[in-house]
Amino acid sequence: MASLLDLESSRDKLVEQIMALIEEEQVEGKTDTIALINSFDELETQIATKVDAIAAVVAAKEGEIAYLRKRRDNFNSQIEIRENALSNFKTYLKKIVENRDDSTIKGREATIKLVKNGGKQPLWTNGNIPAKDFPANLVTVQTSYKICIETIRQQLAESGAEELVVDGEVLAKLQPRGTHLRIG
């Protein structure tokens, strides 16, 4: 089966032939235009069929993706439910072990034991005292800059310019819009 590109190329060549023959007919008066028009109609039908087939394939693939996303979301939901249940069970088990005199429960092959966490020890800071009121050697000062894109867009829109120039230097410029396919 011919590709869409091949079909359109054939149609373009046929249009060129028709135009050349029409010019010839005006000079000589001899052309089988009915055969050319039938060929043209046949190519147009093939192109329309090809476009419909492409749209159907795209729609089917989008449907598959939507189905797989739905399954993924369902699996993620089931995972979250099981993780929460396991976390709740471990919290319950931890409370049981914390309330025992011996913080170890031994089985034949496994042991449940309450142990201290590793890593850095948690630190509480008084939330009622603002960070700026802590002694200077206990705080760090942070400054961050963020470009306000909406303000730049507004200035460009008001000026009608494509780029923002300050002190001879281009700070920002509008970029061409992208494109996308619409099938359907």
Side-chain angles (χ1 to χ4, degrees):
M1 180 174 251
S3 72
L4 181 59
L5 193 58
D6 292 339
L7 290 172
E8 287 186 333
S9 176
S10 296
R11 179 191 58 200
D12 293 343
K13 288 177 187 172
L14 188 57
V15 167
E16 288 174 14
Q17 286 177 349
I18 291 171
M19 295 306 291
L21 289 174
I22 288 173
E23 288 175 11
E24 238 178 67
E25 182 178 283
Q26 291 173 352
V27 174
E28 299 174 12
K30 57 171 184 175
T31 303
D32 186 9
T33 54
I34 294 174
L36 289 174
I37 291 172
N38 288 341
S39 296
F40 184 79
D41 288 343
E42 184 180 320
L43 277 173
E44 284 295 315
T45 302
Q46 289 177 2
I47 289 171
T49 302
K50 181 64 88 172
V51 168
D52 290 345
I54 289 169
V57 167
V58 169
K61 291 299 177 189
E62 287 173 343
E64 287 176 19
I65 291 168
Y67 169 73
L68 291 173
R69 281 193 176 125
K70 184 73 174 165
R71 286 190 62 197
R72 177 198 62 200
D73 294 345
N74 187 33
F75 282 129
N76 287 341
S77 173
Q78 292 299 315
I79 289 169
E80 186 177 343
I81 288 168
R82 285 169 175 75
E83 285 175 340
N84 289 339
L86 181 59
S87 176
N88 291 340
F89 178 69
K90 285 181 176 179
T91 300
Y92 168 75
L93 203 54
K94 181 180 175 190
K95 287 181 183 178
I96 289 174
V97 174
E98 284 175 338
N99 291 328
R100 293 174 47 102
D101 293 333
D102 183 14
S103 64
T104 304
I105 303 173
K106 292 188 179 221
R108 283 180 231 150
E109 297 180 18
T111 301
I112 300 172
K113 186 178 195 177
L114 191 62
V115 295
K116 293 200 180 273
N117 293 337
K120 292 183 180 180
Q121 186 171 353
L123 179 67
W124 172 87
T125 57
N126 191 339
N128 295 326
I129 302 173
K132 66 180 179 72
D133 292 339
F134 270 67
N137 64 331
L138 300 178
V139 296
T140 59
V141 178
Q142 295 179 336
T143 303
S144 64
Y145 295 92
K146 182 179 178 202
I147 297 171
C148 185
I149 292 179
E150 288 309 312
T151 302
I152 294 172
R153 283 184 198 280
Q154 184 178 0
Q155 282 186 8
L156 290 173
E158 288 171 359
S159 69
E162 291 289 315
E163 48 185 43
L164 177 64
V165 180
V166 176
D167 296 332
E169 188 169 356
V170 177
L171 297 182
K173 70 169 84 173
L174 293 173
Q175 298 296 300
R177 295 180 188 268
T179 60
H180 69 279
L181 286 176
R182 181 174 293 154
I183 300 173

